[in-house]
Amino acid sequence: MDEFSQPPSPLELMQSLGFDYSVAALIGGTIFGIIGIYLFRKGRRESHSPNIWVGVGLMLYPLFVSSTLYTYVVGALLCGVAYYYWS
């Protein structure tokens, strides 16, 4: 390493590791993750397994989807599934 070279910025480091998220995707993932936590806790409290599994899905899918469009589409679909099974 050259004595005058700068270490990579956190953004450059994340992009080199394959994480290329936009701010809108991060905000959407956060919103859907919070909804997932709510559904998971409600499902555990009421012993309602569809709420538990949809909640887990809402919490985990943003980790694997980096596209903003897919983040919102998958989140809306999972919220639709939760609404369908709501009891």
Side-chain angles (χ1 to χ4, degrees), residues 1-2 4-17:
M1 183 179 224
D2 189 280
F4 297 110
S5 65
Q6 295 288 330
S9 70
L11 180 61
E12 292 170 347
L13 183 62
M14 286 181 60
Q15 288 175 343
S16 69
L17 293 173

Side-chain angles (χ1 to χ4, degrees), residues 22-83:
S22 68
V23 174
L26 291 174
I27 291 171
T30 302
I31 291 169
F32 289 121
I34 291 169
I35 294 170
I37 291 169
Y38 171 76
L39 286 172
F40 179 77
R41 291 186 62 177
K42 182 175 175 59
R44 291 233 5 221
R45 199 174 326 121
E46 296 178 358
S47 299
H48 192 247
S49 63
N51 278 352
I52 293 172
W53 290 111
V54 171
V56 169
L58 280 168
M59 287 186 286
L60 292 180
Y61 89 91
L63 299 174
F64 303 106
V65 178
S66 62
S67 169
T68 304
L69 177 65
Y70 290 141
T71 299
Y72 286 99
V73 168
V74 172
L77 288 174
L78 285 173
C79 286
V81 169
Y83 180 76

